[in-house]
Amino acid sequence: MTSKSTFTAIAVLGIAVAGGAAWWLQSRPQVPTQITGAAGGKAMADSSAPGAPRVAGVEVAKVEAQTLRDDAQAVGSLRARQSVMLRPELVGRITALNFKDGGPVRKGQILVQFDDQLQQAEVQQMQAQLAIAQANFKRTQELVAEKFLAQQTLDTSAANLKVAQAQLSLAQARLNRMAVRAPFDGTAGIRLVNVGDYVKDGADLVALEDTRQMLVDYRLPERFGGKVKPGQTVELTLDALPGRSFTAAVEAIDPLLDANGRSVGVRAVLSGAGQGLPLRSGMFARVTTVFSVNNAAWVVPEEAIVPQGNRQFVIKLVAPDASAALPPEVKLVSLRQEVKLGVRQSGKVEVVAGVALGDTVVVAGQQRLQKDGSPVRVVELSAGGRAGAGKADAARSAAPASAARAFAAAAASR
């Protein structure tokens, strides 16, 4: 019994010691990180002599010139310049299919022929009636010229001739509609009917595509509606053809905005470089519309921007005023400058106005600079500082694990 109590007391004491060690490791002050000053490369401490202004350490970056492109990404679908589903205008039975699935066809070629015996008979009947009407009109002309008939008889004969001509044209039109012809040069799809099928008017027969020129249809958010214009460059890639990129040009912009998605429809035409490849209607495309390209944009890291309400600022580092009472080692002071921003891309932001090329701006430590003219020094984390911080973090994480192991050992001894 005494031995069990002793083990319990030892376990409790071990847990208390481990917990205290963990608390001490987590709450002890860290070794100050070494920093390198911008002037002379000498290390300086954060604190200054009593009464002297506090020198704040900041990280900086230069205003650089970089090529920036204002663009927008979207997804779209390819479609052929001309695409149609052929359908008959009259009911009938198919007697011939004059194309191969997936084969080329020429404009005006008869693709689907329907049984037209009845229509041919009607044409022959109307031709005979027209011949009679022409003969009657000619005979009436001769009789009227010899004053054997009145002029009214000639007018009636002329009207009958016109009626016969119209009836023949109608019969011929019905006959022509019994053959479905290709409206343009292209490639036939897979037939949806067979010889002998009886189809109604409007039934799908076969699709016809002209893939010699391809279009891409896509949509952009409404905020880009005022930026996209005909003729702008469009870059696209296709999942079906990895490793290839294509160029197109904006051809048309839909004047009607989609009220559901608040987006505007755009159509672009692929350049000739994309032709001759196995492009098909319906292919998924990743589209990038290029609005403008600035080859010499002035950019800063996004971290340098300090927003205040609707205004944007950066903190520049400038030489101090000669009349300022500053320590001799202070070579730079802060200056808050309002800027106008442009395009953002890959962690960089374009500055349209407010800074000049080569200016130094603060990217970390802005909260330490509450007013203009604050003395600053440029700092960088040294390798030793990073190693020391890493060791401290490892010790803090190891302390709770040691306490857990001590508690487990005590429980096992019991």
Side-chain angles (χ1 to χ4, degrees):
M1 184 68 180
T2 303
S3 177
K4 184 176 182 180
S5 300
T6 301
F7 289 153
T8 302
I10 292 174
V12 172
L13 180 60
I15 293 173
V17 171
W23 175 86
W24 179 81
L25 287 173
Q26 293 178 355
S27 61
R28 69 172 180 172
Q30 300 300 315
V31 177
T33 300
Q34 297 297 324
I35 55 179
T36 303
K42 297 180 180 179
M44 298 185 297
D46 283 344
S47 60
S48 301
R54 184 175 181 272
V55 181
V58 296
E59 297 180 25
V60 299
K62 294 283 187 180
V63 179
E64 301 174 343
Q66 179 179 320
T67 299
L68 279 186
R69 191 174 68 173
D70 186 11
D71 55 22
Q73 285 75 37
V75 294
S77 298
L78 290 188
R79 61 170 300 167
R81 165 67 77 178
Q82 297 186 91
S83 175
V84 66
M85 173 60 73
L86 297 181
R87 298 180 176 91
E89 299 183 57
L90 300 174
V91 298
R93 189 176 303 280
I94 296 176
T95 58
L97 294 173
N98 302 318
F99 66 93
K100 293 182 179 180
D101 293 350
V105 298
R106 306 296 296 177
K107 181 178 179 179
Q109 176 182 338
I110 297 178
L111 303 182
V112 182
Q113 178 64 57
F114 288 86
D115 183 6
D116 59 357
Q117 293 182 5
L118 179 60
Q119 286 74 19
Q120 288 182 0
E122 288 179 350
V123 169
Q124 293 173 0
Q125 180 183 3
M126 293 302 107
Q127 288 175 341
Q129 292 182 359
L130 177 61
I132 294 174
Q134 289 175 337
N136 291 337
F137 178 72
K138 184 177 180 180
R139 196 163 37 248
T140 303
Q141 277 183 319
E142 295 174 353
L143 294 175
V144 170
E146 296 177 3
K147 306 296 184 181
F148 289 110
L149 293 175
Q151 182 65 34
Q152 182 180 2
T153 306
L154 180 60
D155 295 341
T156 303
S157 179
N160 292 335
L161 176 60
K162 291 183 178 180
V163 170
Q165 291 173 339
Q167 289 177 340
L168 177 60
S169 298
L170 179 61
Q172 188 66 50
R174 289 175 178 169
L175 176 62
N176 292 337
R177 291 190 178 186
M178 301 308 290
V180 179
R181 301 174 184 270
F184 50 81
D185 295 344
T187 304
I190 298 177
R191 70 185 70 185
L192 303 176
V193 292
N194 293 296
V195 175
D197 282 345
Y198 184 84
V199 297
K200 297 182 179 180
D201 53 327
D204 293 346
L205 299 178
V206 63
L208 183 61
E209 298 272 334
D210 181 8
T211 58
R212 292 174 298 177
Q213 188 174 48
M214 300 297 294
L215 310 175
V216 56
D217 290 344
Y218 61 99
R219 308 194 72 86
L220 289 174
E222 61 178 341
R223 67 179 181 273
F224 297 114
K227 301 176 70 174
V228 61
K229 293 178 176 58
Q232 286 178 334
T233 302
V234 175
E235 299 174 355
L236 64 150
T237 58
L238 306 175
D239 289 359
L241 298 173
R244 292 179 177 268
S245 61
F246 302 89
T247 303
V250 175
E251 181 185 55
I253 303 165
D254 194 344
L256 180 62
L257 194 71
D258 181 19
N260 295 324
R262 302 299 176 186
S263 59
V264 58
V266 183
R267 172 170 291 177
V269 183
L270 267 69
S271 63
Q275 311 310 322
L277 294 174
L279 304 181
R280 302 178 184 275
S281 295
M283 279 186 172
F284 177 80
R286 303 181 188 275
V287 186
T288 301
T289 305
V290 182
F291 303 122
S292 63
V293 178
N294 188 348
N295 294 321
W298 293 352
V299 298
V300 297
E302 288 186 331
E303 296 83 356
I305 306 302
V306 181
Q308 291 185 357
N310 294 328
R311 304 167 67 188
Q312 308 291 333
F313 293 85
V314 297
I315 299 178
K316 300 191 331 184
L317 298 188
V318 298
D321 190 354
S323 61
L326 298 173
E329 67 272 10
V330 175
K331 304 299 182 183
L332 298 170
V333 295
S334 64
L335 175 63
R336 190 176 298 266
Q337 176 66 52
E338 184 176 2
V339 293
K340 183 178 180 181
L341 304 182
V343 179
R344 294 176 183 263
Q345 188 180 71
S346 303
K348 299 285 187 177
V349 58
E350 179 186 10
V351 181
V352 179
V355 298
L357 186 64
D359 283 351
T360 302
V361 296
V362 178
V363 296
Q366 294 97 327
Q367 68 278 6
R368 303 176 186 175
L369 309 175
Q370 299 300 323
K371 62 180 181 178
D372 289 347
S374 299
V376 298
R377 67 177 180 277
V378 178
V379 300
E380 294 180 358
L381 285 176
S382 64
R386 285 193 294 267
K391 291 180 180 179
D393 292 340
R396 285 196 297 270
S397 61
S402 300
R405 285 195 297 270
F407 179 79
S413 64
R414 289 195 301 272

